[in-house]
Amino acid sequence: AAPPSSDPVAWAGTFCGGPGEVIGGVSAIAKAQPTPQGQKDGLLEFSDIAQRAFANTAQKLQQLGPPRITDGKQVQDTAVGFFNNASQTVGAQRTKLAELDANDPDFVNKASHLAGPDLGAASAQMHELTSNKELAPGFRTAPQCQQLSATAGHR
């Protein structure tokens, strides 16, 4: 049975929780030792945090059900697809990163070429969702979204 539709504010809050956790995971990189192995460990830890956050967000949104708005199902599918895709992308990057040798003199250069997930399409989707007239109030009022914009604004 399909989950019932959900309150748009609760849905938006769940949606914002994922990127919020990912931004929080950046501290793993900041706390890493300034050695190549330390950087590698920090990046791997960040990858784990990001992958989990994206996967959990997709799962939570599925459990919550689509937001009670026009085209809620389409919005739901887009968001769940985005978070699942982001989780897989981060997982693939993590695998490549784990294979790099931190003692390789070219490690930092090789690691930097393993750019994070391409968030261009993601931010376009995010913008589309956050500018949805029926969801916008949820994105403005959900505590997780307020926290996300505050955190993102300080970067």
Side-chain angles (χ1 to χ4, degrees):
S5 58
S6 63
D7 172 60
V9 176
W11 190 90
T14 301
F15 181 95
C16 291
E21 282 180 56
V22 173
I23 291 173
V26 171
S27 64
I29 299 172
K31 286 189 294 215
Q33 295 301 311
T35 63
Q37 185 61 53
Q39 289 175 321
K40 179 177 177 178
D41 293 344
L43 288 167
L44 287 171
E45 186 184 342
F46 171 72
S47 298
D48 290 341
I49 291 167
Q51 189 176 8
R52 253 194 326 270
F54 287 139
N56 290 344
T57 302
Q59 193 179 5
K60 287 177 191 168
L61 286 173
Q62 279 175 313
Q63 289 168 345
L64 204 54
R68 260 190 315 273
I69 59 168
T70 313
D71 297 331
K73 173 90 177 82
Q74 185 186 346
V75 165
Q76 173 80 340
D77 293 345
T78 300
V80 170
F82 162 73
F83 285 115
N84 278 326
N85 191 17
S87 175
Q88 289 164 358
T89 304
V90 171
Q93 298 293 85
R94 188 202 188 285
T95 303
K96 292 177 192 161
L97 179 65
E99 291 166 358
L100 293 181
D101 178 2
N103 297 319
D104 178 340
D106 207 24
F107 168 76
V108 172
N109 186 33
K110 287 179 179 172
S112 71
H113 288 296
L114 289 179
D118 173 21
L119 296 176
S123 51
Q125 283 181 329
M126 294 279 269
H127 181 72
E128 200 177 297
L129 290 174
T130 53
S131 59
N132 176 311
K133 282 188 208 60
E134 292 177 81
L135 272 178
F139 280 111
R140 277 196 305 273
T141 55
Q144 300 94 319
C145 297
Q146 290 174 344
Q147 190 181 351
L148 180 63
S149 38
T151 310
H154 292 298
R155 302 255 168 234

